[in-house]
Amino acid sequence: MRIVMIGTGYVGLVSGVCFSDFGHDVVCVDKDASKIERLENGEIPIYEPGLEALLAKNVEAGRLSFTLDLEQALVGAEAIFIAVGTPTRRGDGHADLTYVMAAAEEIAKTATGYVVVVTKSTVPVGTNRKVADTIKTANPNLDFDVASNPEFLREGAAIDDFMRPDRVVVGVENERAGQVMSDIYRPLFLREFPIVTTDLESAEMIKYAANAFLATKITFINEIAALCEKTGADVREVSKGMGLDGRIGNKFLHAGPGYGGSCFPKDTSALARIGQDYASPMMITEAVIRVNDAIKLRMVEKLRDLCDGSFNGKKIAIFGVTFKPNTDDMRDAPSLTIVPALVGGGADVHAVDPQGRREGEALLPHVTWQADAYVAAKDADLVVILTEWNEFRALDLSRIASDMATARLADLRNIYNAVDAEAAGFDGYISVGRQPFQKTPETKC
Ligand code: UGA
């Protein structure tokens, strides 16, 4: 089957590459000429493990190509996926549908035979009908259907999530569109991954509900973590004890410095706005947004306490600035709240991140970038682990502690523990939702 993918951002590129790996003939279209040129040369504009090799394999096999020319791409296509950005609209928190609607207009102008127009971008309930109306108005003679096919892939694990999904969600209005979607996902049907076929509105809602629920789960455990610190409980034990209950599940119960990324902040905000628009307020989601913001600020206060109330004149090493490991994405990363607070408080911040430096340099001014964690930590008064990259999970803690001016470790991803930190020679160790360890006050940084 010939598939056109409009938009070569995260979702579009991963989906396009994976569909071609299913054996479909995929053309990815984008308006950004330099991006298309890079993709044609086999370079991928994002960091996603395994994507470059899979792209090369399918280009080589002649199943995957890239173009600026939508009209040409559409010749013979049975499905057109819209996978353009739906960022938060400035000022009001709504999802900005400008790019989705522009894509619909273009499809109306260029498509000829029967096609299914599939929205993969995360869009508010009702958008697929708006897409259909836009196309109908612009080209009343076009024979087409719309379908909603939200994506659930996680950055850093995108290919595996696409190839081995917990489920595929497809919203359609009739059998004909349903058949095209079944043909597209046939390789997954055959391997018995669950496919939820439903109406358009439910498919659109599933995506927001899933992301908001996961954001809620994380925020809940982060709030419990704060209470654990006060009561003497250990949040990791609490997560384990909760997660073994099959009704709760153990995933997304890792306490940390607050969720970030391109999806949870944007989608919780959009869902809250949808609730307000329909006079059906999403009070839990609204609270989650507020609590998550407060959690990031709570981290700043924890760090300040560890530094005896002031960052001024302290050298602070930051390990990890991306919103999670295995990505170069810094959108809404906790580092964007925490690092400026340290810099603003007079700290000399040295950061290290395996993939985040390029974005970090643009987003975090007055930070010195280091290529190596040990160099960043040398003579520092505090090391802060903000992102749990694998290379930060097995550090030589003794070496770090002995090279620091004041050996303090803030492990905001709970990858070490107080006993190990003390044994390694640290004078102070804090984490999230667990008891700190701190030597006598006179040795504080
Ligand atoms: C998220 C969803 O997990 C995907 O299913 C969805 O497709 C995607 O959004 C999207 O809408 O496109 P992603 O943003 O890539 O994926 O990242 P996650 O792995 O979900 O992590 C989000 C944030 O939550 C990160 O900042 C991470 O550090 C944090 N997190 C996650 C925790 O603090 N604790 C956890 O237990 C899990």
Side-chain angles (χ1 to χ4, degrees):
M1 180 186 302
R2 185 170 167 94
I3 294 174
V4 172
M5 185 67 62
I6 302 180
T8 57
Y10 225 101
V11 168
L13 190 56
V14 171
S15 307
V17 170
C18 291
F19 280 145
S20 68
D21 205 58
F22 284 176
H24 299 307
D25 180 11
V26 178
V27 188
C28 296
V29 185
D30 205 292
K31 286 190 177 318
D32 182 338
S34 67
K35 212 171 178 189
I36 291 294
E37 195 185 322
R38 284 179 69 186
L39 287 164
E40 279 177 328
N41 291 329
E43 275 176 57
I44 58 166
I46 49 173
Y47 174 76
E48 180 61 39
L51 189 58
E52 198 163 304
L54 203 63
L55 179 144
K57 174 187 152 196
N58 286 288
V59 168
E60 171 92 25
R63 290 190 293 262
L64 178 63
S65 59
F66 303 93
T67 181
L68 292 162
D69 185 347
L70 179 62
E71 192 166 356
Q72 187 60 37
L74 283 182
V75 177
E78 284 171 75
I80 309 170
F81 282 78
I82 300 178
V84 295
T86 51
T88 301
R89 200 162 63 194
R90 204 172 291 178
D92 66 5
H94 273 292
D96 184 346
L97 296 178
T98 310
Y99 305 116
V100 172
M101 290 308 162
E105 296 265 2
E106 278 210 56
I107 291 168
K109 274 190 245 149
T110 41
T112 47
Y114 174 72
V115 279
V116 181
V117 179
V118 192
T119 304
K120 235 192 197 315
S121 307
T122 300
V123 292
V125 180
T127 303
N128 272 274
R129 289 198 195 279
K130 279 192 199 147
V131 166
D133 290 346
T134 301
I135 298 175
K136 246 179 243 157
T137 309
N139 184 353
N141 298 323
L142 183 67
D143 186 15
F144 75 100
D145 283 306
V146 290
S148 167
N149 177 216
E151 190 46 67
F152 300 97
L153 51 83
R154 287 163 304 164
E155 292 187 17
I159 293 171
D160 204 50
D161 282 351
F162 197 95
M163 299 293 196
R164 274 178 282 277
D166 286 344
R167 78 316 204 174
V168 172
V169 172
V170 172
V172 282
E173 288 187 291
N174 58 41
E175 285 255 321
R176 185 156 74 146
Q179 190 54 54
V180 171
M181 295 306 290
S182 302
D183 292 346
I184 292 172
Y185 281 105
R186 202 174 150 69
L188 298 183
F189 269 122
L190 294 176
R191 286 158 63 210
E192 295 187 354
F193 289 103
I195 314 275
V196 178
T197 304
T198 181
D199 58 275
L200 295 174
E201 285 74 16
S202 301
E204 292 167 333
M205 186 64 95
I206 286 168
K207 171 69 190 194
Y208 279 113
N211 270 3
F213 189 84
L214 291 170
T216 302
K217 203 172 174 190
I218 297 166
T219 306
F220 182 84
I221 202 65
N222 282 339
E223 216 173 34
I224 290 286
L227 192 56
C228 285
E229 288 173 17
K230 295 267 162 66
T231 56
D234 179 331
V235 76
R236 286 180 59 133
E237 298 299 313
V238 176
S239 293
K240 200 200 282 173
M242 285 172 66
L244 286 169
D245 185 327
R247 295 168 301 175
I248 296 174
N250 61 4
K251 297 200 172 128
F252 280 62
L253 278 183
H254 301 291
Y259 64 76
S262 63
C263 305
F264 289 171
K266 162 176 86 71
D267 294 349
T268 46
S269 158
L271 185 62
R273 293 310 305 222
I274 295 168
Q276 286 163 13
D277 287 352
Y278 283 86
S280 182
M282 300 302 298
M283 289 185 278
I284 295 175
T285 304
E286 287 174 7
V288 164
I289 296 167
R290 281 199 309 277
V291 174
N292 191 57
D293 288 343
I295 282 163
K296 295 179 192 172
L297 297 174
R298 186 175 93 81
M299 296 301 133
V300 174
E301 293 320 310
K302 277 165 69 78
L303 298 179
R304 203 190 306 277
D305 284 350
L306 189 59
C307 285
D308 275 346
S310 172
F311 300 127
N312 202 18
K314 308 277 162 49
K315 177 178 174 184
I316 299 180
I318 300 289
F319 290 3
V321 294
T322 53
F323 81 98
K324 66 172 193 176
N326 296 325
T327 179
D328 57 359
D329 199 337
M330 284 189 59
R331 282 175 283 181
D332 276 305
S335 63
L336 296 178
T337 302
I338 295 168
V339 173
L342 305 180
V343 171
D348 172 22
V349 175
H350 291 240
V352 57
D353 189 291
Q355 293 295 331
R357 178 171 178 168
R358 196 174 45 86
E359 276 208 43
E361 279 179 335
L363 296 171
L364 296 173
H366 312 299
V367 166
T368 305
W369 291 88
Q370 304 288 0
D372 180 85
Y374 298 96
V375 174
K378 190 155 174 28
D379 300 324
D381 299 293
L382 171 66
V383 165
V384 184
I385 300 174
L386 267 188
T387 317
E388 69 279 31
W389 284 94
N390 268 345
E391 38 268 81
F392 302 146
R393 286 178 183 274
L395 292 166
D396 181 345
L397 290 185
S398 306
R399 181 176 159 200
I400 290 181
S402 65
D403 276 357
M404 290 177 72
T406 324
R408 307 269 164 185
L409 177 60
D411 171 14
L412 302 188
R413 296 288 181 170
N414 290 349
I415 56 182
Y416 295 102
N417 60 51
V419 174
D420 292 342
E422 186 176 10
F426 277 92
D427 299 328
Y429 170 86
I430 60 164
S431 57
V432 180
R434 299 181 303 169
Q435 297 315 298
F437 141 74
Q438 197 138 12
K439 268 198 183 157
T440 50
E442 42 306 346
T443 55
K444 280 186 191 170
C445 68

